[in-house]
Amino acid sequence: MIKLLRPLHLFLAGLTYFLGVSIPAYLGKPIQLTLFILGLAISLLAQATMSYLREVFRPHNEPLIPGETPQQKETLRSNLLYISFGMLGTIAVIFFLIYLNFTFSLPVFYFLLASVLLVLVYALPPFHLVNRGFGELILAMHVAYVIPSIGFVLQAGENSRLLTLLLLPLTVLALAYFLIGNFTTFPDDQKYERVTLLRRLTWERAIPFHHSLVAFAYLMFAFVPLFGFAFNLVAPAFLTLPFAVFQIFQLRALANGNAPNWKLLTSTALAVFGLTSYFLTVTFWIR
């Protein structure tokens, strides 16, 4: 059950949540510890629910764990479903506590609602976008845009243009990272007829699409000063540019027929997204 929880996704969700909270601190708004904890709990519970519901509604021809029996599969599905309902109920209770005890604004409501809706359309039939070629996009939006926005609006009480300018390129890098993950699972995806973003695009289009995502993300970071914000705020994001170039180089080599090094490729993609989030977070906290 721990593996099905996808701990790495939880870690990334926590990291981006800290980024969202760091921006109000930079803008001079004091951090409210209780709201910080409640928002983090909502974010992690929503991300965990997304992971578990995905497994609950996985097609029956796909195993959840290696060597499982039909009885074990049904028992595990039932347990995951009950846990998911419990986590959704906990999110609702925390949401109600925030409404009762703190100043409640429409942006808070919108982003909390967006988080729950993304979880549901990602995993639940009849939407089940995780198996329609849009799962990676939903996952990227949730981890890199909605979750840090929850952290921000809970502290600031309103949305910010600076937040949007930072999170849009970060979401693009997240999408590139999750697309890389499709390459490593491609044989199984074909075997079980999963419709991932890679299978929807095909390899021929997915590789240049990936390169465009990475280039577009750094161009968006470069344009932030045009909107009246200091370049020093986004300059740390460019520390990961060498990793991004190396990531593109690895995919080009793969397209040219070279033997893949999946661990190196996925680690590089993770470093681009994760370190960019980390460097931006540290920048805002220390300022």
Side-chain angles (χ1 to χ4, degrees):
M1 291 183 71
I2 294 177
K3 181 180 180 181
L4 297 178
L5 190 59
R6 302 177 185 269
L8 183 56
H9 291 181
L10 285 179
F11 171 77
L12 293 175
L15 179 60
T16 57
Y17 180 82
F18 272 82
L19 171 60
V21 174
S22 69
I23 300 174
Y26 163 76
L27 297 175
K29 298 182 181 293
I31 299 299
Q32 302 180 67
L33 183 59
T34 303
L35 277 177
F36 171 85
I37 294 172
L38 292 177
L40 180 61
I42 286 176
S43 301
L44 296 182
L45 286 170
Q47 189 59 47
T49 304
M50 180 178 280
S51 297
Y52 274 170
L53 282 180
R54 170 181 181 169
E55 306 304 330
V56 170
F57 295 98
R58 183 183 290 272
H60 284 273
N61 66 318
E62 298 182 30
L64 298 180
I65 55 176
E68 64 188 4
T69 64
Q71 181 61 42
Q72 288 174 328
K73 175 183 283 189
E74 291 308 313
T75 300
L76 181 56
R77 283 181 186 272
S78 297
N79 291 339
L80 294 178
L81 183 61
Y82 296 145
I83 293 172
S84 298
F85 283 157
M87 290 190 293
L88 286 173
T90 304
I91 290 172
V93 170
I94 297 175
F95 180 86
F96 188 62
L97 290 175
I98 293 174
Y99 174 75
L100 288 179
N101 296 282
F102 299 93
T103 302
F104 196 80
S105 64
L106 281 179
V108 173
F109 173 76
Y110 290 149
F111 281 112
L112 290 176
L113 179 62
S115 177
V116 174
L117 290 178
L118 286 178
V119 168
L120 297 180
V121 300
Y122 176 81
L124 292 185
F127 307 103
H128 204 225
L129 296 184
V130 65
N131 200 32
R132 296 181 184 272
F134 300 102
E136 294 77 13
L137 176 60
I138 299 297
L139 189 56
M141 289 172 58
H142 193 249
V143 171
Y145 196 95
V146 173
I147 286 179
S149 295
I150 290 173
F152 180 91
V153 297
L154 281 174
Q155 299 295 330
E158 59 184 2
N159 206 345
S160 167
R161 184 175 59 174
L162 176 60
L163 179 72
T164 303
L165 291 173
L166 293 174
L167 297 189
L168 284 177
L170 198 63
T171 302
V172 173
L173 289 180
L175 180 59
Y177 165 63
F178 293 125
L179 176 60
I180 289 292
N182 288 168
F183 285 92
T184 64
T185 61
F186 185 75
D188 283 342
D189 294 336
Q190 277 195 312
K191 177 181 178 181
Y192 295 112
E193 298 183 347
R194 301 172 188 148
V195 184
T196 63
L197 180 60
L198 172 58
R199 292 197 67 211
R200 179 173 286 276
L201 291 173
T202 72
W203 279 57
E204 291 77 12
R205 288 183 290 179
I207 291 178
F209 177 68
H210 165 273
H211 300 345
S212 300
L213 288 175
V214 174
F216 184 61
Y218 285 97
L219 280 175
M220 291 174 73
F221 280 129
F223 288 154
V224 167
L226 299 180
F227 293 88
F229 299 100
F231 180 74
N232 290 340
L233 293 177
V234 295
F238 291 92
L239 294 175
T240 60
L241 186 56
F243 292 99
V245 173
F246 183 50
Q247 179 177 322
I248 291 174
F249 174 80
Q250 290 179 83
L251 267 188
R252 287 190 61 186
L254 181 63
N256 291 332
N258 293 1
N261 187 332
W262 296 126
K263 288 186 178 180
L264 180 60
L265 179 59
T266 54
S267 298
T268 305
L270 177 61
V272 172
F273 173 54
L275 288 178
T276 301
S277 303
Y278 173 76
F279 289 148
L280 290 174
T281 302
V282 171
T283 299
F284 283 104
W285 276 116
I286 63 177
R287 287 177 178 272

